[in-house]
mmCIF file of all heavy atoms in Angstrom:
data_model
loop_
_atom_site.group_PDB
_atom_site.id
_atom_site.type_symbol
_atom_site.label_atom_id
_atom_site.label_comp_id
_atom_site.label_asym_id
_atom_site.label_seq_id
_atom_site.Cartn_x
_atom_site.Cartn_y
_atom_site.Cartn_z
ATOM 1 N N GLU X 1 17.889 48.140 -0.185
ATOM 2 C CA GLU X 1 18.320 46.768 0.106
ATOM 3 C C GLU X 1 17.722 46.278 1.422
ATOM 4 O O GLU X 1 17.276 45.129 1.529
ATOM 5 C CB GLU X 1 19.844 46.698 0.168
ATOM 6 C CG GLU X 1 20.542 46.834 -1.175
ATOM 7 C CD GLU X 1 22.050 46.757 -1.022
ATOM 8 O OE1 GLU X 1 22.521 46.381 0.068
ATOM 9 O OE2 GLU X 1 22.752 47.084 -1.999
ATOM 10 N N PHE X 2 17.730 47.131 2.436
ATOM 11 C CA PHE X 2 17.208 46.718 3.735
ATOM 12 C C PHE X 2 15.684 46.602 3.708
ATOM 13 O O PHE X 2 15.113 45.750 4.392
ATOM 14 C CB PHE X 2 17.675 47.686 4.820
ATOM 15 C CG PHE X 2 19.073 47.403 5.299
ATOM 16 C CD1 PHE X 2 20.171 47.817 4.563
ATOM 17 C CD2 PHE X 2 19.286 46.690 6.466
ATOM 18 C CE1 PHE X 2 21.457 47.538 4.981
ATOM 19 C CE2 PHE X 2 20.563 46.398 6.900
ATOM 20 C CZ PHE X 2 21.668 46.822 6.158
ATOM 21 N N LEU X 3 15.014 47.435 2.917
ATOM 22 C CA LEU X 3 13.563 47.285 2.763
ATOM 23 C C LEU X 3 13.231 45.991 2.029
ATOM 24 O O LEU X 3 12.292 45.273 2.412
ATOM 25 C CB LEU X 3 12.995 48.483 2.005
ATOM 26 C CG LEU X 3 12.882 49.793 2.800
ATOM 27 C CD1 LEU X 3 12.533 50.947 1.874
ATOM 28 C CD2 LEU X 3 11.827 49.672 3.907
ATOM 29 N N GLN X 4 13.977 45.680 0.987
ATOM 30 C CA GLN X 4 13.729 44.438 0.268
ATOM 31 C C GLN X 4 13.945 43.223 1.159
ATOM 32 O O GLN X 4 13.247 42.214 1.034
ATOM 33 C CB GLN X 4 14.642 44.356 -0.957
ATOM 34 C CG GLN X 4 14.269 45.327 -2.068
ATOM 35 C CD GLN X 4 15.200 45.215 -3.263
ATOM 36 O OE1 GLN X 4 15.362 44.142 -3.826
ATOM 37 N NE2 GLN X 4 15.823 46.312 -3.644
ATOM 38 N N ALA X 5 14.906 43.317 2.073
ATOM 39 C CA ALA X 5 15.182 42.220 3.001
ATOM 40 C C ALA X 5 14.230 42.205 4.193
ATOM 41 O O ALA X 5 14.341 41.347 5.068
ATOM 42 C CB ALA X 5 16.624 42.306 3.499
ATOM 43 N N ASP X 6 13.284 43.161 4.236
ATOM 44 C CA ASP X 6 12.281 43.253 5.299
ATOM 45 C C ASP X 6 12.933 43.412 6.673
ATOM 46 O O ASP X 6 12.549 42.770 7.651
ATOM 47 C CB ASP X 6 11.370 42.019 5.290
ATOM 48 C CG ASP X 6 10.068 42.248 6.056
ATOM 49 O OD1 ASP X 6 9.739 43.430 6.322
ATOM 50 O OD2 ASP X 6 9.392 41.261 6.396
ATOM 51 N N LEU X 7 13.918 44.336 6.748
ATOM 52 C CA LEU X 7 14.658 44.554 7.986
ATOM 53 C C LEU X 7 14.392 45.913 8.612
ATOM 54 O O LEU X 7 14.971 46.234 9.651
ATOM 55 C CB LEU X 7 16.166 44.405 7.728
ATOM 56 C CG LEU X 7 16.637 43.022 7.273
ATOM 57 C CD1 LEU X 7 18.114 43.057 6.898
ATOM 58 C CD2 LEU X 7 16.383 41.975 8.350
ATOM 59 N N ILE X 8 13.522 46.728 8.001
ATOM 60 C CA ILE X 8 13.250 48.078 8.493
ATOM 61 C C ILE X 8 11.981 48.067 9.340
ATOM 62 O O ILE X 8 10.946 47.550 8.926
ATOM 63 C CB ILE X 8 13.076 49.076 7.326
ATOM 64 C CG1 ILE X 8 14.316 49.082 6.434
ATOM 65 C CG2 ILE X 8 12.751 50.466 7.850
ATOM 66 C CD1 ILE X 8 15.542 49.637 7.072
ATOM 67 N N ASP X 9 12.066 48.661 10.528
ATOM 68 C CA ASP X 9 10.909 48.773 11.420
ATOM 69 C C ASP X 9 10.236 50.140 11.351
ATOM 70 O O ASP X 9 9.034 50.256 11.604
ATOM 71 C CB ASP X 9 11.337 48.505 12.872
ATOM 72 C CG ASP X 9 11.923 47.121 13.050
ATOM 73 O OD1 ASP X 9 11.242 46.142 12.697
ATOM 74 O OD2 ASP X 9 13.074 47.022 13.526
ATOM 75 N N PHE X 10 11.011 51.165 11.036
ATOM 76 C CA PHE X 10 10.475 52.529 10.986
ATOM 77 C C PHE X 10 11.177 53.300 9.885
ATOM 78 O O PHE X 10 12.404 53.217 9.737
ATOM 79 C CB PHE X 10 10.677 53.241 12.326
ATOM 80 C CG PHE X 10 10.271 54.697 12.303
ATOM 81 C CD1 PHE X 10 8.938 55.059 12.422
ATOM 82 C CD2 PHE X 10 11.224 55.697 12.134
ATOM 83 C CE1 PHE X 10 8.560 56.405 12.379
ATOM 84 C CE2 PHE X 10 10.858 57.035 12.095
ATOM 85 C CZ PHE X 10 9.519 57.388 12.214
ATOM 86 N N LEU X 11 10.390 54.070 9.133
ATOM 87 C CA LEU X 11 10.923 54.804 7.982
ATOM 88 C C LEU X 11 10.333 56.210 7.987
ATOM 89 O O LEU X 11 9.110 56.375 7.937
ATOM 90 C CB LEU X 11 10.543 54.062 6.703
ATOM 91 C CG LEU X 11 10.988 54.593 5.346
ATOM 92 C CD1 LEU X 11 12.497 54.450 5.186
ATOM 93 C CD2 LEU X 11 10.275 53.834 4.226
ATOM 94 N N HIS X 12 11.198 57.213 8.085
ATOM 95 C CA HIS X 12 10.772 58.619 8.016
ATOM 96 C C HIS X 12 11.195 59.161 6.653
ATOM 97 O O HIS X 12 12.386 59.378 6.398
ATOM 98 C CB HIS X 12 11.417 59.422 9.142
ATOM 99 C CG HIS X 12 11.220 60.910 9.010
ATOM 100 N ND1 HIS X 12 12.172 61.815 9.422
ATOM 101 C CD2 HIS X 12 10.192 61.652 8.513
ATOM 102 C CE1 HIS X 12 11.739 63.049 9.194
ATOM 103 N NE2 HIS X 12 10.541 62.978 8.633
ATOM 104 N N VAL X 13 10.208 59.351 5.772
ATOM 105 C CA VAL X 13 10.442 59.861 4.426
ATOM 106 C C VAL X 13 9.949 61.297 4.372
ATOM 107 O O VAL X 13 8.878 61.617 4.895
ATOM 108 C CB VAL X 13 9.688 59.010 3.382
ATOM 109 C CG1 VAL X 13 9.890 59.567 1.978
ATOM 110 C CG2 VAL X 13 10.137 57.559 3.451
ATOM 111 N N VAL X 14 10.741 62.171 3.743
ATOM 112 C CA VAL X 14 10.361 63.568 3.582
ATOM 113 C C VAL X 14 10.183 63.834 2.089
ATOM 114 O O VAL X 14 11.161 63.804 1.335
ATOM 115 C CB VAL X 14 11.416 64.527 4.169
ATOM 116 C CG1 VAL X 14 10.912 65.962 4.121
ATOM 117 C CG2 VAL X 14 11.784 64.125 5.592
ATOM 118 N N ILE X 15 8.939 64.057 1.664
ATOM 119 C CA ILE X 15 8.665 64.339 0.267
ATOM 120 C C ILE X 15 8.899 65.822 0.016
ATOM 121 O O ILE X 15 8.259 66.679 0.631
ATOM 122 C CB ILE X 15 7.230 63.946 -0.124
ATOM 123 C CG1 ILE X 15 6.957 62.475 0.255
ATOM 124 C CG2 ILE X 15 7.006 64.174 -1.622
ATOM 125 C CD1 ILE X 15 7.858 61.477 -0.424
ATOM 126 N N VAL X 16 9.834 66.111 -0.881
ATOM 127 C CA VAL X 16 10.209 67.493 -1.209
ATOM 128 C C VAL X 16 9.531 67.864 -2.530
ATOM 129 O O VAL X 16 9.659 67.133 -3.512
ATOM 130 C CB VAL X 16 11.739 67.622 -1.326
ATOM 131 C CG1 VAL X 16 12.140 69.067 -1.593
ATOM 132 C CG2 VAL X 16 12.425 67.087 -0.070
ATOM 133 N N PRO X 17 8.818 69.000 -2.586
ATOM 134 C CA PRO X 17 8.042 69.339 -3.779
ATOM 135 C C PRO X 17 8.900 69.882 -4.925
ATOM 136 O O PRO X 17 8.783 71.048 -5.332
ATOM 137 C CB PRO X 17 7.046 70.384 -3.264
ATOM 138 C CG PRO X 17 7.780 71.063 -2.153
ATOM 139 C CD PRO X 17 8.593 69.977 -1.497
ATOM 140 N N ILE X 18 9.796 69.036 -5.403
ATOM 141 C CA ILE X 18 10.589 69.346 -6.588
ATOM 142 C C ILE X 18 10.571 68.129 -7.504
ATOM 143 O O ILE X 18 10.293 67.007 -7.052
ATOM 144 C CB ILE X 18 12.046 69.716 -6.243
ATOM 145 C CG1 ILE X 18 12.741 68.546 -5.532
ATOM 146 C CG2 ILE X 18 12.109 70.984 -5.407
ATOM 147 C CD1 ILE X 18 14.233 68.774 -5.330
ATOM 148 N N VAL X 19 10.869 68.333 -8.772
ATOM 149 C CA VAL X 19 10.973 67.249 -9.755
ATOM 150 C C VAL X 19 12.408 67.214 -10.254
ATOM 151 O O VAL X 19 12.895 68.196 -10.820
ATOM 152 C CB VAL X 19 9.988 67.454 -10.922
ATOM 153 C CG1 VAL X 19 10.196 66.388 -11.989
ATOM 154 C CG2 VAL X 19 8.554 67.429 -10.413
ATOM 155 N N LEU X 20 13.110 66.103 -10.024
ATOM 156 C CA LEU X 20 14.506 65.987 -10.437
ATOM 157 C C LEU X 20 14.646 65.385 -11.836
ATOM 158 O O LEU X 20 15.564 65.731 -12.561
ATOM 159 C CB LEU X 20 15.275 65.131 -9.431
ATOM 160 C CG LEU X 20 15.466 65.748 -8.040
ATOM 161 C CD1 LEU X 20 16.175 64.761 -7.121
ATOM 162 C CD2 LEU X 20 16.238 67.049 -8.118
ATOM 163 N N GLY X 21 13.792 64.450 -12.184
ATOM 164 C CA GLY X 21 13.827 63.880 -13.515
ATOM 165 C C GLY X 21 14.823 62.756 -13.721
ATOM 166 O O GLY X 21 14.702 61.979 -14.666
ATOM 167 N N SER X 22 15.816 62.641 -12.841
ATOM 168 C CA SER X 22 16.800 61.568 -12.940
ATOM 169 C C SER X 22 17.486 61.413 -11.593
ATOM 170 O O SER X 22 17.359 62.267 -10.708
ATOM 171 C CB SER X 22 17.838 61.869 -14.030
ATOM 172 O OG SER X 22 18.598 63.015 -13.683
ATOM 173 N N GLY X 23 18.229 60.338 -11.450
ATOM 174 C CA GLY X 23 18.938 60.092 -10.214
ATOM 175 C C GLY X 23 18.725 58.677 -9.730
ATOM 176 O O GLY X 23 18.425 57.766 -10.506
ATOM 177 N N VAL X 24 18.871 58.485 -8.424
ATOM 178 C CA VAL X 24 18.695 57.176 -7.794
ATOM 179 C C VAL X 24 17.316 57.144 -7.157
ATOM 180 O O VAL X 24 17.017 57.938 -6.262
ATOM 181 C CB VAL X 24 19.787 56.906 -6.741
ATOM 182 C CG1 VAL X 24 19.591 55.518 -6.122
ATOM 183 C CG2 VAL X 24 21.173 57.040 -7.358
ATOM 184 N N ARG X 25 16.484 56.231 -7.612
ATOM 185 C CA ARG X 25 15.128 56.124 -7.108
ATOM 186 C C ARG X 25 15.108 55.306 -5.817
ATOM 187 O O ARG X 25 15.966 54.457 -5.595
ATOM 188 C CB ARG X 25 14.222 55.479 -8.156
ATOM 189 C CG ARG X 25 14.078 56.315 -9.431
ATOM 190 C CD ARG X 25 13.151 55.635 -10.427
ATOM 191 N NE ARG X 25 11.835 55.420 -9.847
ATOM 192 C CZ ARG X 25 10.868 56.345 -9.824
ATOM 193 N NH1 ARG X 25 11.073 57.535 -10.362
ATOM 194 N NH2 ARG X 25 9.712 56.086 -9.273
ATOM 195 N N ILE X 26 14.112 55.552 -4.999
ATOM 196 C CA ILE X 26 13.996 54.828 -3.739
ATOM 197 C C ILE X 26 12.985 53.697 -3.809
ATOM 198 O O ILE X 26 13.135 52.675 -3.147
ATOM 199 C CB ILE X 26 13.675 55.795 -2.567
ATOM 200 C CG1 ILE X 26 13.611 55.041 -1.225
ATOM 201 C CG2 ILE X 26 12.387 56.561 -2.814
ATOM 202 C CD1 ILE X 26 14.882 54.365 -0.822
ATOM 203 N N TRP X 27 11.924 53.826 -4.623
ATOM 204 C CA TRP X 27 10.822 52.873 -4.529
ATOM 205 C C TRP X 27 10.893 51.724 -5.542
ATOM 206 O O TRP X 27 10.026 50.862 -5.538
ATOM 207 C CB TRP X 27 9.483 53.599 -4.694
ATOM 208 C CG TRP X 27 9.272 54.717 -3.710
ATOM 209 C CD1 TRP X 27 9.016 56.025 -3.982
ATOM 210 C CD2 TRP X 27 9.289 54.615 -2.273
ATOM 211 N NE1 TRP X 27 8.895 56.750 -2.826
ATOM 212 C CE2 TRP X 27 9.048 55.916 -1.752
ATOM 213 C CE3 TRP X 27 9.490 53.563 -1.379
ATOM 214 C CZ2 TRP X 27 8.998 56.180 -0.393
ATOM 215 C CZ3 TRP X 27 9.457 53.831 -0.022
ATOM 216 C CH2 TRP X 27 9.198 55.121 0.457
#
């Protein structure tokens, strides 16, 4: 929601080498 509203200045994302197949997506 905050990314869509263009309110984020810095984002630290950690890509974990697993495949979940379902859940809540971020992108």
Side-chain angles (χ1 to χ4, degrees):
E1 288 180 12
F2 279 79
L3 285 170
Q4 289 180 56
D6 198 16
L7 297 173
I8 303 292
D9 300 305
F10 174 80
L11 181 69
H12 170 214
V13 178
V14 186
I15 306 299
V16 183
I18 61 172
V19 175
L20 292 177
S22 65
V24 181
R25 296 181 58 84
I26 182 61
W27 304 123

